Amino acid sequence: MKIFNKVTLLLLFCAVGTFMNAQEITSFPGMWGHEFYQDKDKLTWKEIDKIMSESQVAQMEWQKSKKQMLGGLIAGTANFGSAIWFLVNENDDKPVTGPVIAFAATGVIGSIFYHSALKNKKEAILNYNESVSKGTSFNLVPTSNENGVGLALKF
């Protein structure tokens, strides 16, 4: 009976050690931007920032994405200002060539920043998921020697 209990315990430890993996992150477009999930749990921005800091490569891409999103926000604000400038000039019968050029240029620049930010977010998530799919840095390995049967930690 003792041997059966030891074998059962050994199998239980092996099963738990085999299935111990970090959870991957998924991203879906939402109404106010991308929403991030780990399994079925929705993550906040604070949680996703903390998770991305676990992998150095993912953190670098994530920080780059945040900077590009800020650049896109600044270009978007300038785009909004140039649209107002266009409307004011059009109502006052002034030339609208300058506002149209500014509106188009800030729109293109904002789009480039936004597209780059989304690309870097995807890269950060893929890098993070790749790092967690490799598993943990240790495994429980069943072993037997002259002292008996047991589990060993393999690093």
Side-chain angles (χ1 to χ4, degrees):
M1 192 64 160
K2 280 187 168 186
I3 293 175
F4 177 73
N5 289 341
K6 289 179 182 180
V7 169
T8 305
L9 187 61
L10 176 69
L11 290 175
L12 179 68
F13 279 129
C14 289
V16 170
T18 304
F19 296 114
M20 284 180 23
N21 282 335
Q23 300 169 352
E24 292 187 350
I25 296 174
T26 53
S27 172
F28 299 104
M31 185 168 186
W32 304 108
H34 282 270
E35 296 175 348
F36 301 99
Y37 291 88
Q38 224 172 11
D39 287 337
K40 292 182 180 181
D41 301 326
K42 186 175 180 180
L43 298 172
T44 63
W45 282 101
K46 198 178 274 191
E47 291 171 333
I48 198 82
D49 277 340
K50 183 180 176 188
I51 289 171
M52 286 298 160
S53 67
E54 294 173 10
S55 169
Q56 190 174 16
V57 176
Q59 183 183 17
M60 184 179 70
E61 293 287 337
W62 190 257
Q63 294 301 325
K64 192 186 308 183
S65 169
K66 286 170 64 175
K67 290 175 185 174
Q68 289 170 339
M69 196 61 92
L70 178 63
L73 182 65
I74 291 169
T77 304
N79 187 268
F80 183 71
S82 62
I84 292 173
W85 182 29
F86 170 79
L87 293 173
V88 168
N89 279 4
E90 188 177 46
N91 282 342
D92 294 341
D93 292 326
K94 293 182 180 177
V96 292
T97 307
V100 167
I101 292 171
F103 183 74
T106 55
V108 168
I109 291 170
S111 297
I112 290 170
F113 272 115
Y114 184 71
H115 177 70
S116 296
L118 288 180
K119 184 180 135 204
N120 284 330
K121 274 185 189 174
K122 288 178 187 177
E123 282 295 318
I125 291 171
L126 289 173
N127 286 333
Y128 173 79
N129 288 343
E130 184 179 318
S131 72
V132 297
S133 68
K134 292 178 183 173
T136 58
S137 61
F138 66 90
N139 293 332
L140 289 174
V141 179
T143 185
S144 64
N145 57 21
E146 64 274 354
N147 294 329
V149 178
L151 292 174
L153 286 175
K154 182 178 179 183
F155 292 94

